[in-house]
Amino acid sequence: GAVVSQHPSWVICKSGTSVKIECRSLDFQATTMFWYRQFPKQSLMLMATSNEGSKATYEQGVEKDKFLINHASLTLSTLTVTSAHPEDSSFYICSASNRADTEAFFGQGTRLTVV
Amino acid sequence: DAKTTQPPSMDCAEGRAANLPCNHSTISGNEYVYWYRQIHSQGPQYIIHGLKNNETNEMASLIITEDRKSSTLILPHATLRDTAVYYCIGTDGNKLVFGAGTILRVKS
């Protein structure tokens, strides 16, 4: 299957700082990528849809000014958690597909811990 | 996206077939049934998907009822490494909305 890579795999940051997470499609072009968040013992929660060359579409209840998404190229989307707080500590996962009618592939996830 | 219902957990003996059910009675005609699994602390892994016909690949088989209101994922010879949370999702695109899934425990 296609490969989606996230970086970093884990990060620890101080409260009040910003953290950027990268999601890359390594062997295909992705016009659309998705960002999810997962808290311990819970399912994945869709945060936003990242569209190449345009603004992201956020799910209800997700603050767009706190979770900045940039999709500058067909192989890279970034999620920046701004002014992070301990409650933002979570597992962040991206997915991508090269076509709307085929399966999406997921990155390995990024474990964010805010201290 | 279609609402799906799965049992919260299942056990399976190693080497035996694991049959994971999913109800999706509200699925629309253009929505596919996708199955993913997530092993602890990893991103979800694609398993298989189908629309109307049964499907088989190197990982699993997908049996979809004729009325498309339910489906069953079959892992023919479960191994300990198949222990994971399995998600059944109905969608017509790549935007996947995850439910609680089924925790499959494969035991030796």
Side-chain angles (χ1 to χ4, degrees), chain A residues 37-45, chain B residues 38 87 97-101:
Chain A
R37 179 169 55 179
Q38 186 176 33
F39 293 107
K41 298 188 187 300
Q42 294 186 23
S43 187
L44 285 79
M45 186 192 80
Chain B
Q38 186 179 28
Y87 297 99
V97 178
F98 286 79

Side-chain angles (χ1 to χ4, degrees), chain A residues 36 38 43 59 99-100 102 104 107, chain B residues 36 38 43-44 94-96 99:
Chain A
Y36 296 81
Q38 186 176 33
S43 187
E59 296 298 306
R99 290 201 339 246
T102 62
Chain B
Y36 284 80
Q38 186 179 28
N94 305 129
K95 181 178 175 180
L96 304 174

Side-chain angles (χ1 to χ4, degrees), chain B residues 15-56:
Chain B
R16 304 297 292 269
N19 298 296
L20 292 94
C22 178
N23 286 322
H24 33 79
S25 58
T26 61
I27 197 167
S28 63
N30 60 339
E31 287 183 315
Y32 285 77
V33 179
Y34 281 84
W35 282 85
Y36 284 80
R37 71 180 182 185
Q38 186 179 28
I39 296 170
H40 183 62
S41 295
Q42 297 182 24
Q45 177 189 23
Y46 165 79
I47 301 173
I48 199 167
H49 74 283
L51 184 63
K52 291 189 291 186
N53 299 322
N54 298 337
E55 302 288 344
T56 295

Side-chain angles (χ1 to χ4, degrees), chain A residues 23-43:
Chain A
C23 178
R24 293 181 184 273
S25 55
L26 298 186
D27 51 2
F28 65 98
Q29 294 184 329
T31 55
T32 304
M33 292 184 175
F34 299 89
W35 287 96
Y36 296 81
R37 179 169 55 179
Q38 186 176 33
F39 293 107
K41 298 188 187 300
Q42 294 186 23
S43 187

Side-chain angles (χ1 to χ4, degrees), chain A residues 64-107:
Chain A
K64 61 180 173 62
D65 294 330
K66 179 166 185 62
F67 299 99
L68 301 180
I69 292 173
N70 183 277
H71 194 152
S73 78
L74 287 172
T75 59
L76 174 64
S77 175
T78 60
L79 168 68
T80 301
V81 183
T82 63
S83 187
H85 291 285
E87 57 265 31
D88 298 322
S89 298
S90 188
F91 192 50
Y92 292 86
I93 312 166
C94 70
S95 73
S97 174
N98 61 347
R99 290 201 339 246
D101 59 346
T102 62
E103 63 271 25
F105 295 94
F106 285 80

Side-chain angles (χ1 to χ4, degrees), chain B residues 56-67:
Chain B
T56 295
N57 63 20
E58 64 277 7
M59 287 184 69
S61 294
L62 174 60
I63 308 298
I64 303 174
T65 58
E66 194 168 338
D67 62 9

Side-chain angles (χ1 to χ4, degrees), chain B residues 66-104:
Chain B
E66 194 168 338
D67 62 9
R68 301 212 327 123
K69 292 185 177 182
S70 66
S71 61
T72 300
L73 178 74
I74 302 172
L75 307 179
H77 305 287
T79 70
L80 297 178
R81 287 181 296 180
D82 292 322
T83 292
V85 181
Y86 287 76
Y87 297 99
C88 166
I89 302 168
T91 182
D92 60 357
N94 305 129
K95 181 178 175 180
L96 304 174
V97 178
F98 286 79
T102 296
I103 299 173
L104 175 67

